[in-house]
Amino acid sequence: MKIGVPIEIKNNENRVGMTPSGVFELTKRNHNVYIQKNAGFNSGFLDDDYIEAGATILDTIEEIYSVADMIVKVKEPIEPEYKLIKADQIVFTYFHFASSEVLTNAMIDSKAICIAYETVEDADGSLPLLIPMSEVAGRMSVQQGAKYLEKPIMGRGILLGGIPGVPPAKVLILGAGVVGLQAARMASGLGASVHILDINMKALRHVSDVMPNNVISEFSSEYNIRKHIVDSDLIIGGVLIKGARAPKLITRDMLKEMRPGTVMVDVAVDQGGCFETTKPTTHQDPTYIIDEVVHYSVANMPGAVPYTSTMGLTNVTLPYVIKLANDGWEKACKNSAALAKGLNIVKGEIVYKEIAEAFDMEMA
Ligand SMILES: NC(=O)c1ccc[n+]([C@@H]2O[C@H](COP(=O)([O-])OP(=O)(O)OC[C@H]3O[C@@H](n4cnc5c(N)ncnc54)[C@H](O)[C@@H]3O)[C@@H](O)[C@H]2O)c1
């Protein structure tokens, strides 16, 4: 199969859909891989690395879309790409169709085979192509929190781990899923005193089994949240209710209970945020202050660390890319129930219920 990897043209997206190691695995199986010139540069991969792995470099995005049977990328196509996508071409990427009717209509019109990373689903209901990005965001939330706790950027001026003779900072984590566990691992590793809250007892038992003694698990309730916010230095929001907007666990009136310079990192911002005062921010302007509480709520945290994020993402997408390249989409989806869940729009027809429902459209 001919596989094309374009440069990501969405604002501030520095990741790339395939690493040289992925190219190597595909060319070794006699597939042809075409990489757009400089596509990997911001993730730390040079054109020469791709050439050495067996890829052909093409100058323009038009050439990539024109030659490829399958496009492998990171973010959803944006307007200038719509007209480049061909009928019957496989496009394997994050789409998030339910948040854009324009994109949905454009992909219906293209008659392409749209397979969305975010809906590939394992038998236990987990979403394997989303997990690495939550891992990145969870770990990064502590790094960012530690930075914004510094006094010159309006934080409380406390070192997360303390020093001998001086107590560490207190970190409150809401949600003990992928984001929460990774945040707890980082914060506890730095020596902070960590409290992690969830409503799922299985998740709390897991915390209690695997985390060090400076991580305390507790049931999530308004009472417990109110108790902890008064003396927490860093609060991290990592809750998710699948398919729904995040519950507002910290309301506006609760901010005045906190100490000035407390930092709140809302990783769940992409589902509306779990703090009432959350609004999406960017890497250019990541924070704002309300009632002397510092808010960090960047919606695409992994974009700031493209080297790690690209490798994390392509580690999990590559096995599916290989299946699609070897077998074609029909056979690959027949053989893999997880991949079949990724089919969203096929040759002009919506085949994923939630997308049809989101826009009151017909299902195939
Ligand atoms: N901002 C970013 O760049 C970025 C990157 C990756 C993920 N995310 C987002 O982070 C969020 C968390 O993702 P995840 O992969 O950790 O999800 P997850 O499903 O692994 O974990 C979510 C946890 O929240 C818990 N929860 C639900 N309601 C709760 C409540 N009232 N109190 C406490 N816990 C509660 C659930 O029981 C679950 O354990 C999602 O919204 C995800 O989209 C954002």
Side-chain angles (χ1 to χ4, degrees):
M1 187 181 275
K2 291 178 180 152
I3 298 141
V5 181
I7 288 186
E8 294 298 318
I9 54 175
K10 191 170 176 177
N11 189 21
N12 260 308
E13 180 51 66
N14 293 309
R15 289 172 290 178
V16 62
M18 198 177 295
T19 60
S21 148
V23 171
F24 181 82
E25 291 302 323
L26 287 161
T27 52
K28 152 174 129 182
R29 291 170 171 82
N30 296 322
H31 300 297
N32 298 315
V33 185
Y34 299 87
I35 306 279
Q36 189 179 347
K37 194 172 164 47
N38 285 330
F41 187 77
N42 287 339
S43 295
F45 305 116
L46 303 178
D47 289 346
D48 282 347
D49 302 331
Y50 285 109
I51 292 169
E52 207 174 304
T56 303
I57 304 293
L58 296 178
D59 281 336
T60 64
I61 197 164
E62 287 80 8
E63 290 170 279
I64 294 286
Y65 276 93
S66 149
V67 77
D69 304 311
M70 170 162 64
I71 294 290
V72 177
K73 60 195 284 350
V74 180
K75 295 304 281 186
E76 74 280 3
I78 59 172
E79 210 272 329
E81 290 168 299
Y82 293 168
K83 59 181 184 305
L84 304 177
I85 296 172
K86 305 179 293 186
D88 297 336
Q89 192 169 47
I90 302 168
V91 184
F92 192 36
T93 192
Y94 287 123
F95 277 105
H96 297 287
F97 277 119
S99 62
S100 172
E101 191 166 0
V102 174
L103 173 69
T104 303
N105 282 324
M107 292 304 106
I108 289 172
D109 292 346
S110 74
K111 305 241 179 320
I113 321 297
C114 301
I115 309 179
Y117 289 164
E118 70 276 8
T119 66
V120 171
E121 186 175 329
D122 282 333
D124 64 0
S126 63
L127 305 171
L129 306 191
L130 279 182
I131 289 174
M133 296 305 102
S134 286
E135 290 171 335
V136 169
R139 291 192 171 208
M140 207 176 138
S141 65
V142 174
Q143 228 168 273
Q144 295 301 310
K147 180 165 88 193
Y148 290 104
L149 275 171
E150 290 172 14
K151 199 71 185 172
I153 27 189
M154 307 299 284
R156 269 181 42 75
I158 186 168
L159 192 62
L160 269 192
I163 54 167
V166 181
K170 174 171 171 179
V171 178
L172 173 66
I173 301 173
L174 304 177
V178 181
V179 165
L181 282 184
Q182 297 303 323
R185 186 169 292 282
M186 292 294 277
S188 59
L190 287 169
S193 163
V194 181
H195 289 254
I196 183 163
L197 275 52
D198 203 300
I199 48 172
N200 178 345
M201 278 310 300
K202 239 180 171 174
L204 293 177
R205 286 195 184 101
H206 182 63
V207 169
S208 166
D209 284 345
V210 303
M211 287 288 160
N213 287 341
N214 55 339
V215 179
I216 295 169
S217 68
E218 218 168 317
F219 197 78
S220 177
S221 64
E222 184 179 340
Y223 184 87
N224 282 339
I225 293 171
R226 283 188 182 272
K227 177 183 75 182
H228 282 299
I229 57 170
V230 294
D231 64 351
S232 290
D233 299 290
L234 169 61
I235 302 172
I236 295 171
V239 307
L240 176 67
I241 299 174
K242 235 177 164 186
R245 284 179 76 76
K248 304 291 179 211
L249 299 181
I250 296 190
T251 51
R252 167 83 209 231
D253 69 296
M254 289 158 108
L255 298 191
K256 61 180 183 303
E257 308 291 326
M258 299 178 191
R259 296 179 296 193
T262 301
V263 175
M264 302 211 299
V265 176
D266 199 346
V267 183
V269 55
D270 57 345
Q271 300 291 330
C274 57
F275 312 143
E276 192 180 359
T277 42
T278 291
K279 57 175 194 229
T281 59
T282 62
H283 290 296
Q284 274 71 41
D285 193 8
T287 59
Y288 57 95
I289 295 174
I290 300 179
D291 290 351
E292 297 185 90
V293 172
V294 181
H295 292 60
Y296 174 102
S297 38
V298 173
N300 65 331
M301 294 172 72
V305 287
Y307 187 81
T308 307
S309 303
T310 289
M311 292 214 275
L313 176 63
T314 56
N315 281 344
V316 291
T317 54
L318 186 64
Y320 296 106
V321 172
I322 292 173
K323 283 184 212 291
L324 287 164
N326 285 349
D327 296 337
W329 71 272
E330 280 174 289
K331 187 169 167 204
C333 290
K334 211 166 158 202
N335 292 341
S336 162
L339 187 59
K341 290 257 186 186
L343 285 170
N344 279 202
I345 295 178
V346 174
K347 301 185 183 200
E349 309 248 33
I350 297 177
V351 295
Y352 199 85
K353 191 166 105 249
E354 283 77 1
I355 301 170
E357 282 172 2
F359 306 118
D360 209 5
M361 289 179 180
E362 290 286 304
M363 271 265 293

